[in-house]
Amino acid sequence: MTSGSGLQAGLKNRHLTMIAIGGVIGAGLFVGSSSGIATAGPGILLSYALVGTLVVLVMRMLGEMSAANPTSGSFSAHADRALGRWAGFSIGWLYWFFWVVVLAVEATAGAKILEGWIPAVPQWGWALIVMVVLTATNLVSVGSYGEFEFWFAGIKVVAIGAFIIVGALAIFGVLPGAHTDKAGLGNLTDHGGFLPNGPGAILTGVLLVVFSFMGSEIATLAAGESEDPRRAVTKSTNSIIWRIGVFYLGSIFIVVCLLPWNDPSIKAQGSYVAALDSLGIAHAGQIMNFIVLTSVLSCLNSGLYTASRMAFSLGGRGDAPKAFARTTSRGVPMAAIIASVVFGFVAVFFNYAYPDTVFLFLVNSSGAVALFVWLVICASQLRMRRIIERESPEKLVVRMWLYPYLTWATIALIVFVLGYMLTDTKGESSGRTTVLLSLLVALAVIVVSVVKERVRGGRATAVADTDTDKVSVG
């Protein structure tokens, strides 16, 4: 492997724009929204609005730190400086773990769709093909990752935009040739009210939708390889409100207006497919499957990129093997990419061999990592703001609103959501199981980081003592 000069600025502004937009549109939006609607009814809009507000606030904090110091380690590097080595090490490895498990989940989801189209290739074969192709893309150069993500995200954006326009026309009865007998604003209140299952369902809905927002932070990791990192971070941070407002709240609003929330087709077909089908649009299911597949490939592409860049950053800080911090002549951290994808392949194997034991543990134990990451970003920002103001106040081009009050309010909301998850005891992937297993893994990683720091400190002391002895002898 040729040792290059580090990561290179291979991402163009148009790549960063689409990475930022595409980051908030995960496959979870298309696949997971049906269970949220079934649980909270039209009130799921409040669940999305609550989580969306949380993400906007967290991204504002991350934007403040990343605009002042753009780095491929993003929040892990900020935590390292603001809270201590243990925090940067722990949250960096937990985040890496989260994304390599996501690789397996998304590869399997994409394989199911592809097997439905071409059954001659078995599902595990499609999962392998998808992983190999996207690994090759990431290994070529950061520019090839950016180009793939530009088109993947573009398809998602156009698809959701078209869905909102078509849906809005149908709701107001002006879509020619469509079956609009079930559509209308009345669906928001006509079937048991706006909150048919009571106000508590809003919080249950939060638990179901919170994880579909993970990915908003990818733009801050990618900014380190862009032409103008500070401008890229500022732009993506400032646009997060309209992105969440349009793509999440806008599209879910259309879904719950096109169909009654308790229509059985929502759960059977998925919310977006059922909404399109209700209008009598030909091949709606296949169109939606193509869009979901695009989202899956986009998530896989970004997941591999994100995991490898976090591993690269950890390697550079001495918290991972040094090989992870080496790059090829094209600025690609090859060892970090290969290590991430190997773990992804292992997770895919567990998904097929031990789906109800090992893989279930992997999914549950990484499930609450999103909330842990957001919590660490909040805690880091409380300290980093004072550091930046003291050392280089001119770098505060993005500022957290109402600091520090909104930061503390965000911390309280995240802790409340984690606490509420502990009351959810239904099923093998209940909120309580997810939080407890994620805490167990987080605790194990923190213990490793503390032990590592003590060993490192002991070695440093030993070296210093040796040097002192040499000086005194001399």
Side-chain angles (χ1 to χ4, degrees), residues 17-26 149 153 156-157 215 243 247 298 302:
T17 301
M18 277 303 179
I19 288 168
I21 293 172
V24 296
I25 312 171
E149 193 54 27
K156 288 191 288 187
V157 169
R243 285 187 274 134
F247 297 122
S298 168
S302 287

Side-chain angles (χ1 to χ4, degrees), residues 1-9 135-144 225 309 312 322-338:
M1 186 193 302
T2 313
S3 183
S5 55
L7 300 179
Q8 296 175 6
T135 301
T137 301
N138 274 266
L139 284 172
V140 171
S141 69
V142 68
S144 64
E225 293 175 82
R309 277 4 181 228
F312 169 84
K322 286 182 181 177
F324 287 5
R326 295 197 196 108
T327 58
T328 66
S329 56
R330 295 186 302 275
V332 173
M334 185 181 289
I337 291 173
I338 291 172

Side-chain angles (χ1 to χ4, degrees), residues 85-87 89-90 318-319 442-460:
R85 291 293 297 267
W86 68 271
F89 176 97
S90 304
D319 290 334
L443 191 63
V445 175
I446 289 170
V447 167
V448 170
S449 70
V450 171
V451 170
K452 189 173 182 295
E453 274 304 292
R454 289 197 173 175
V455 170
R456 184 184 280 162
R459 281 178 186 161

